[in-house]
Amino acid sequence: MQTQAEHYDFPDAKGHFGPYGGVFVAETLQAALLALNHEYEKAKADPAFVAEIQRELKHYVGRPSPIYHARRLSEELGGAQIYLKREDLNHTGAHKVNNTVGQAMLARRMGKRRVIAETGAGQHGVATATVAARYGMECVVYMGSEDIRRQAQNVYRMKLLGATVVPVESGSRTLKDALNEAMRDWVTNVENTFYIIGTVAGPHPYPMMVRDFNSVVGKECLTQMPEMIGRQPDAVLACVGGGSNAMGIFYDYIPHANVRLIGVEAGGEGVATGRHAASLTAGSPGILHGNRTYLIQDANGQIIDTHSVSAGLDYPGVGPEHAWLKDTRRAEYVAINDDEALDAFHRLCRTEGIIPALESSHAVAQAMKMAPAMRKDTVLLVNLSGRGDKEMATVAERSQAVMGTPQ
Amino acid sequence: MSRAASRIATTFARLASENRKALIPFVTAGDPSPAITVPLMHAMVDAGVDIIELGVPFSDPMADGPVIQRSSERALKFGVGLNDVLAYVGEFRKKNQTTPVVLMGYANPIERMGMKLFAERASASGVDGVLVVDYPPEESLALRETMDAAGIDVIYLLSPTSSSERIKLVSAAARGYIYYVSLKGVSGAANIDASDVELMIAKIKAQTNLPVGVGFGIRDGETARKIARFADAVVIGSRLIQEMEASTADNAVECVRVLLSDIRAKMDL
């Protein structure tokens, strides 16, 4: 297993995954990124740092998260067995906290007292505000004003945790603009500030670092699956916006060549309509937010507004490692539309008593699509990356239900 | 480098012989409207500028402050893209064959067009230099080779946080001139401290014979004059855009011309 892993050694020292990744940022940020990379490499090799993170993940986050056999759902579908990696059971309700704990520890190690973050749906913002409270750091979260309107509850959660939420009014007023604004803050306050990026995108070392901090998910699966079923699954599925939960569960499976890796993008109203966020399925390579990757862009190279019912997948780029896994065909990428994700959301609520995040519902929907045609002893492992408490208003609106009335 | 002296090199050589410093305005192409760009370029030349930096609008200008972001958004509303910007330069060249034009912007529009096609079109339009904010030297070897072959200078940034190592790296890669970003932050931020800048310029000049320009945070003739004492060029961007924002469509060009004439006069005192 380890000998196979040696074949996959990405990124290179400069942060490249083949032609993707890299450090495409202005000179003003080069010194900060070099310092971060240097410190991260040292920390990674420091047993005390690694042990401290493990302690935090166990006692604060509640790891390891269980794997659950969705037996009723599988029986109803009549084919493959669906297993769920329960990242929704983590503290703060999603995988995002695996990464923010790691980066906050690194910030502390570097003596930075102020952390900043960008957020779309608010999950990464909440996870950052949470660890900032836990470690006594000042926290500023940039969020598009359009997203603030859509995700009022998470905005309030961040405020409760002591964070300042700054509305971003530029561009499309969503996640990509929040990222631009956080970068601008970082350039300006680089001496005392640590930028906690929430996904496997951005300039090197972020894609590698965020993957590493989330790879605890796949590592646990590697030991949990044989304990449960005596072998590894046939396929691992995860939703992909920026792609951090997917990289987290994929990474340790990359050397296991007979395990299919399937990334599920947001097809929005359908890839053919142009209203989607499926960068790998329907985009083309370019440079945004410090790395080369697949982007949703127009003929002039301008970034186009994306659409998804799930705010957490509503991003016009994708982590560069996914671009590489796509081109090398180690992973497959598909798109699931809003309606299919909502169906999966309801189906999981009713059959298993689990309310999933709309992001994760995309991965569940893909599993539901594949399972019926598969043998009953086929095993699909789905990363249930987050819980759906935050979705009440969105789902009620889409189902034309009124909250507070039964039925 | 066996190619003929570029317009940029010729310009700096002339200024040096006159014991004057370069004044470089930055405006975003297509802002506040596409029709204004070429007349604005000519008016700036009338005001005494030496090189024009023309911004290529981009949807995600990560290194720019709110003023240049707004200018980019206004131009994008008209759908102004890299092809249009090249057409403006071609139009400008019909009447002006001496003032260097440098395109400034982000990597993605160039990636989208393709490096080779961009080099061909830029060269044919009369572009003299490109400054791509998010193509640092390490990631832009292909750009340098392609632009070198097309006779176009690739200009790079240095900043207050640049280490001696990076000053060396940038100096070795740069053509035309080096653009020193005078403060930590985005374009259009607070005023700069001239003495800090002076120290850094001396460090850079120890590594390169290229002219060094200073930008980000220069808002008036007084500051320009102070900076011009030790730098080879002064870049003014956000202030010009604000000037146009505060004016009407009819007098935007004239307002910029008056402001630049004043700065020119103060620099030459």
Side-chain angles (χ1 to χ4, degrees):
Chain A
M1 192 175 80
Q2 279 310 309
T3 54
Q4 275 180 306
E6 280 164 19
H7 295 302
Y8 185 87
D9 187 18
F10 293 95
D12 68 14
K14 300 282 186 187
H16 296 114
F17 303 87
Y20 303 108
V23 186
F24 291 91
V25 300
E27 179 63 25
T28 39
L29 275 175
Q30 294 285 350
L33 287 165
L34 278 173
L36 174 62
N37 192 32
H38 181 70
E39 194 60 36
Y40 176 58
E41 291 295 340
K42 273 195 343 203
K44 212 159 53 165
D46 177 354
F49 180 78
V50 175
E52 197 182 5
I53 288 187
Q54 277 167 354
R55 257 198 319 277
E56 289 293 292
L57 290 179
K58 183 173 179 196
H59 298 286
Y60 188 63
V61 175
R63 303 208 70 90
S65 66
I67 290 180
Y68 168 76
H69 182 192
R71 211 177 297 254
R72 275 205 349 115
L73 176 65
S74 306
E75 266 166 30
E76 270 194 23
L77 295 167
Q81 302 305 304
I82 296 175
Y83 285 73
L84 305 173
K85 175 63 171 168
R86 299 292 307 276
E87 289 300 293
D88 60 317
L89 296 178
N90 291 336
H91 178 43
T92 73
H95 72 286
K96 293 285 185 191
V97 71
N98 301 325
N99 169 48
T100 58
V101 163
Q103 290 199 48
M105 298 290 209
L106 199 55
R108 221 162 52 151
R109 200 182 152 98
M110 293 176 80
K112 313 273 184 183
R113 303 294 304 163
R114 178 176 182 266
V115 295
I116 59 171
E118 83 294 337
T119 199
Q123 291 305 98
H124 173 59
V126 167
T128 303
T130 299
V131 296
R134 161 83 180 86
Y135 304 119
M137 294 163 164
E138 183 193 345
C139 179
V140 176
V141 178
Y142 290 92
M143 190 169 182
S145 58
E146 181 59 24
D147 287 334
I148 286 182
R149 194 184 57 75
R150 293 194 286 191
Q151 304 286 338
Q153 197 177 334
N154 270 342
V155 174
Y156 187 62
R157 280 172 87 191
M158 288 184 264
K159 285 182 181 162
L160 284 178
L161 292 161
T164 306
V165 179
V166 180
V168 176
E169 303 285 356
S170 56
S172 56
R173 301 185 175 90
T174 57
L175 177 57
K176 76 174 178 71
D177 310 285
L179 211 151
N180 292 334
E181 208 54 40
M183 280 283 179
R184 292 177 187 125
D185 177 316
W186 198 33
V187 171
T188 312
N189 302 298
V190 70
E191 301 90 353
N192 71 340
T193 298
F194 190 102
Y195 180 14
I196 301 186
I197 292 187
T199 192
V200 287
H204 181 64
Y206 283 101
M208 171 181 77
M209 189 166 71
V210 177
R211 172 198 74 193
D212 292 351
F213 287 138
N214 269 308
S215 67
V216 63
V217 178
K219 274 190 188 70
E220 287 173 3
C221 295
L222 271 186
T223 54
Q224 288 169 316
M225 286 309 295
E227 282 167 13
M228 292 184 81
I229 61 165
R231 63 182 180 91
Q232 297 302 342
D234 297 290
V236 175
L237 294 88
C239 65
V240 177
S244 67
N245 90 80
M247 269 329 300
I249 196 164
F250 285 177
Y251 184 54
D252 278 70
Y253 276 106
I254 291 173
H256 294 253
N258 50 358
V259 178
R260 286 172 69 186
L261 305 177
I262 302 170
V264 186
E265 297 194 290
E269 294 172 8
V271 168
T273 66
R275 285 179 53 77
H276 60 82
S279 334
L280 291 164
T281 311
S284 55
I287 293 172
L288 178 70
H289 294 150
N291 67 100
R292 185 182 280 122
T293 187
Y294 280 80
L295 302 174
I296 299 176
Q297 54 180 327
D298 69 13
N300 282 329
Q302 311 296 350
I303 307 307
I304 300 175
D305 289 356
T306 51
H307 170 83
S308 170
V309 67
S310 145
L313 301 182
D314 213 345
Y315 179 66
V318 63
E321 193 162 10
H322 286 294
W324 178 238
L325 292 176
K326 174 192 159 80
D327 282 13
T328 57
R329 300 188 178 189
R330 177 59 191 96
E332 309 153 51
Y333 294 89
V334 295
I336 282 289
N337 298 350
D338 287 351
D339 290 344
E340 297 170 304
L342 281 158
D343 277 351
F345 173 93
H346 288 294
R347 191 83 175 260
L348 198 65
C349 291
R350 297 293 179 95
T351 55
E352 301 291 350
I354 295 172
I355 303 179
L358 282 173
E359 290 80 10
S360 323
S361 301
H362 285 71
V364 175
Q366 179 61 25
M368 282 168 49
K369 218 181 217 183
M370 292 167 63
M374 291 174 140
R375 286 165 50 114
K376 286 201 161 123
D377 58 356
T378 302
V379 172
L380 302 179
L381 173 62
V382 175
N383 196 6
L384 200 73
S385 54
R387 68 179 181 222
D389 306 40
K390 68 189 172 70
E391 318 294 7
M392 295 304 110
T394 308
V395 174
E397 194 187 314
R398 296 283 297 223
S399 326
Q400 283 157 359
V402 179
M403 281 204 279
T405 52
Q407 242 338 302
Chain B
M1 293 241 308
S2 59
R3 70 193 208 213
S6 72
R7 266 190 285 257
I8 293 175
T10 311
T11 300
F12 276 107
R14 173 180 55 78
L15 287 165
S17 73
E18 294 165 4
N19 203 20
R20 292 163 75 234
K21 301 301 176 66
L23 173 58
I24 307 180
F26 168 93
V27 291
T28 301
D31 172 48
S33 69
I36 224 170
T37 300
V38 177
L40 178 63
M41 291 168 80
H42 288 302
M44 294 194 298
V45 174
D46 289 344
V49 309
D50 303 292
I51 296 172
I52 293 172
E53 285 183 359
L54 198 56
V56 180
F58 183 49
S59 52
D60 294 80
M62 216 168 74
D64 284 299
V67 175
I68 291 176
Q69 286 173 52
R70 284 199 301 269
S71 76
S72 209
E73 283 179 18
R74 280 191 296 266
L76 287 175
K77 282 212 175 103
F78 290 100
V80 174
L82 186 49
N83 271 320
D84 303 291
V85 180
L86 293 171
Y88 303 152
V89 179
E91 185 65 28
F92 172 75
R93 279 279 170 259
K94 286 182 185 165
K95 284 194 208 155
N96 182 318
Q97 286 87 44
T98 52
T99 308
V101 176
V102 172
L103 298 190
M104 185 166 179
Y106 292 80
N108 202 50
I110 297 176
E111 294 256 319
R112 185 68 177 168
M113 182 177 283
M115 205 80 77
K116 268 196 78 173
L117 189 58
F118 170 64
E120 281 165 25
R121 289 185 185 171
S123 177
S125 311
V127 168
D128 301 286
V130 293
L131 198 174
V132 187
V133 175
D134 50 354
Y135 268 146
E138 298 94 323
E139 300 280 10
S140 55
L141 183 61
L143 177 80
R144 280 204 297 284
E145 289 174 351
T146 317
M147 293 301 141
D148 255 349
I152 293 173
D153 290 329
V154 176
I155 291 147
Y156 287 105
L157 301 171
L158 280 171
S159 83
T161 53
S162 300
S163 63
S164 315
E165 250 171 62
R166 290 200 63 83
I167 294 176
K168 230 177 252 170
L169 179 77
V170 166
S171 300
R175 303 275 187 271
Y177 58 97
I178 287 173
Y179 185 134
Y180 178 66
V181 171
S182 58
L183 39 82
K184 290 173 199 161
V186 291
S187 55
N191 290 321
I192 59 176
D193 182 337
S195 56
D196 285 353
V197 178
E198 186 169 9
L199 282 174
M200 197 63 182
I201 298 296
K203 263 178 85 175
I204 297 169
K205 284 192 159 283
Q207 298 284 349
T208 182
N209 293 321
L210 284 178
V212 181
V214 174
F216 280 39
I218 300 170
R219 307 191 50 79
D220 53 48
E222 264 323 299
T223 318
R225 204 162 86 89
K226 269 188 221 158
I227 299 293
R229 279 208 293 263
F230 50 82
D232 302 297
V234 170
V235 186
I236 300 197
S238 295
R239 175 68 205 279
L240 299 180
I241 291 165
Q242 283 173 312
E243 200 68 18
M244 289 194 280
E245 284 180 336
S247 68
T248 63
D250 294 338
N251 70 358
V253 171
E254 182 58 12
C255 285
V256 170
R257 199 191 59 77
V258 170
L259 176 64
L260 285 171
S261 302
D262 173 63
I263 293 169
R264 172 85 268 172
K266 291 216 166 73
M267 278 173 66
D268 289 349
L269 273 181

